[in-house]
Amino acid sequence: MSQVTITPSQTQFETQADETILEAALRQGYNLPNACQSGMCGTCIAQVVSGEVALGDYDDCALTDEDAAAGMVLLCACQPKGDVVLDLPAYEGAKAIAPRTMHARVAHVDIRGNMALLRLALPKSPPFKFYAGQYADILYKGTVRSYSLANAPSDNGVMEFHVRLREGGVFSPALFSGSLKVGDVLRVRAPLGAFTLHNNSHKPLIFIATGTGFAPIKSLLHHLRDTDPSRSVHIYHGAQTADGLYDEAALRELLYLLPNARYTPVLSRADDAWQGARGYITEHVLHDYADLSGYEVYACGSIDMIRASKQAFTAQRGLPETAFYSDAFTPYVARAAA
């Protein structure tokens, strides 16, 4: 085993053989910043202060060669070679909300084409707390499925998830077929992840989402409604067809409460009746904004969209790399439920 120390929080934990640093941290209840857990998004990037790590596979969009040469690593894609000290200022240590496993009851299921809105009712005590943009693990039939929370942190008696039907899957077919129904009890582990707003900033925001990537964006919009409704925000939601804009009515209700919010739906395979934007989100942001140097961008959805957007916005529009935050939806990798 190796001992890992995280500064400046002075968090310490041990790793087991063949376990990444992030896996070891989450197993022991330390909710280090993370999103994709597959080396794709860069959320869990940290600086090696001392010691050595072995890097596994990762996307060079998440960790550039220059970053790696400077001693930066991705916690989800590295294993310690002995004791290590890592600098991770984004981790709040004891102030972070610790994830916990709890039982939740299915309260509502709304099927919308190949999407479903699922609401779970939580125990009243102790109250569930989370940050807008975080996600939860649903522990179902010996496996784990991860879904972003779509509701407001102030609405702490429920969890809302947006679930896409995955043929051959374990959880979503049960939800769509009705075998998982209102009143059934599930085990969930939450909150997890670090796709959250940086509250010390007042820069204008651009939110971009594809498919069910809209779920954490909806949570972030709820948070803005409750805490900073006058902040400037432009929401882009991309889908193939109009059916993919599955929660637009709720979005428009939120827009009414956010006076400086704009919304651009974008369809990549629109029919002739569609009067809105066509193509891909990245193209439309580039068209709408000549300079992004004073903005923050939050992107959630496919890794291809996130990779293309980060590269284009930083190279062509001056967006600082540190102002691009992402939550990449990557192909599912099986994990056993604890």
Side-chain angles (χ1 to χ4, degrees), residues 22-91:
L22 180 61
E23 287 172 340
L26 295 179
R27 174 176 57 80
Q28 295 167 81
Y30 299 106
N31 194 13
L32 302 187
N34 72 92
C36 73
Q37 299 187 24
S38 58
M40 294 289 186
C41 70
T43 302
C44 63
I45 193 167
Q47 174 77 52
V48 177
V49 177
S50 64
E52 295 184 43
V53 302
L55 274 172
D57 295 333
Y58 60 89
D59 191 280
D60 57 10
C61 181
L63 184 71
T64 66
D65 292 341
E66 291 79 7
D67 289 336
M72 307 297 287
V73 296
L74 298 177
L75 302 184
C76 70
C78 71
Q79 297 176 345
K81 298 167 68 175
D83 294 347
V84 296
V85 177
L86 302 167
D87 186 43
L88 187 61
Y91 181 57

Side-chain angles (χ1 to χ4, degrees), residues 10-333:
Q10 296 304 313
T11 301
Q12 292 186 324
F13 55 89
E14 293 183 337
T15 63
Q16 298 177 348
D18 299 324
E19 187 177 42
T20 68
I21 292 175
L22 180 61
E23 287 172 340
L26 295 179
R27 174 176 57 80
Q28 295 167 81
Y30 299 106
N31 194 13
L32 302 187
N34 72 92
C36 73
Q37 299 187 24
S38 58
M40 294 289 186
C41 70
T43 302
C44 63
I45 193 167
Q47 174 77 52
V48 177
V49 177
S50 64
E52 295 184 43
V53 302
L55 274 172
D57 295 333
Y58 60 89
D59 191 280
D60 57 10
C61 181
L63 184 71
T64 66
D65 292 341
E66 291 79 7
D67 289 336
M72 307 297 287
V73 296
L74 298 177
L75 302 184
C76 70
C78 71
Q79 297 176 345
K81 298 167 68 175
D83 294 347
V84 296
V85 177
L86 302 167
D87 186 43
L88 187 61
Y91 181 57
E92 297 179 309
K95 296 180 181 180
I97 302 174
R100 59 190 174 96
T101 301
M102 68 200 93
H103 288 90
R105 190 175 302 275
V106 177
H108 182 71
V109 180
D110 184 1
I111 304 296
R112 304 178 180 181
N114 67 344
M115 305 285 190
L117 270 66
L118 168 66
R119 289 180 72 85
L120 304 181
L122 301 174
K124 293 183 179 180
S125 181
F128 173 62
K129 296 180 180 180
F130 71 99
Y131 294 122
Q134 291 189 290
Y135 71 92
D137 282 343
I138 295 180
L139 286 61
Y140 185 72
K141 292 189 174 181
T143 63
V144 178
R145 295 295 187 270
S146 301
Y147 296 102
S148 295
L149 290 151
N151 52 295
S154 58
D155 191 11
N156 58 14
V158 301
M159 291 180 174
E160 178 182 321
F161 302 113
H162 298 175
V163 182
R164 180 192 295 273
L165 177 61
R166 302 286 185 186
E167 297 295 342
V170 174
F171 182 73
S172 65
L175 187 64
F176 279 77
S177 69
S179 61
L180 182 62
K181 56 189 181 301
V182 172
D184 288 348
V185 175
L186 296 170
R187 281 200 308 147
V188 294
R189 181 168 56 234
L192 300 164
F195 184 67
T196 58
L197 279 180
H198 292 250
N199 293 324
N200 59 345
S201 172
H202 299 285
K203 293 181 178 180
L205 300 165
I206 294 176
F207 291 164
I208 57 178
T210 54
T212 54
F214 175 67
I217 297 300
K218 182 180 179 181
S219 182
L220 294 175
L221 290 171
H222 276 298
H223 181 66
L224 287 177
R225 176 203 64 190
D226 294 341
T227 62
D228 193 6
S230 63
R231 192 166 179 183
S232 174
V233 57
H234 192 161
I235 306 103
Y236 294 82
H237 188 192
Q240 293 184 350
T241 64
D243 290 343
L245 306 174
Y246 60 90
D247 204 23
E248 195 170 43
L251 172 56
R252 293 195 180 278
E253 288 181 7
L254 281 168
L255 293 175
Y256 181 76
L257 301 173
L258 300 168
N260 293 316
R262 297 171 57 194
Y263 167 50
T264 302
V266 182
L267 301 185
S268 60
R269 299 181 184 177
D271 59 22
D272 293 340
W274 177 250
Q275 299 298 311
R278 297 169 179 264
Y280 297 96
I281 286 177
T282 303
E283 302 167 353
H284 287 277
V285 177
L286 293 173
H287 176 269
D288 293 344
Y289 295 90
D291 183 2
L292 291 173
S293 59
Y295 286 76
E296 290 180 354
V297 175
Y298 289 76
C300 187
S302 70
I303 186 61
D304 290 338
M305 179 274 288
I306 288 174
R307 182 188 294 112
S309 296
K310 183 177 183 180
Q311 291 175 343
F313 299 164
T314 56
Q316 301 178 37
R317 295 295 185 266
L319 178 76
E321 289 196 9
T322 55
F324 186 92
Y325 307 97
S326 65
D327 187 2
F329 286 11
T330 55
Y332 175 74
V333 178

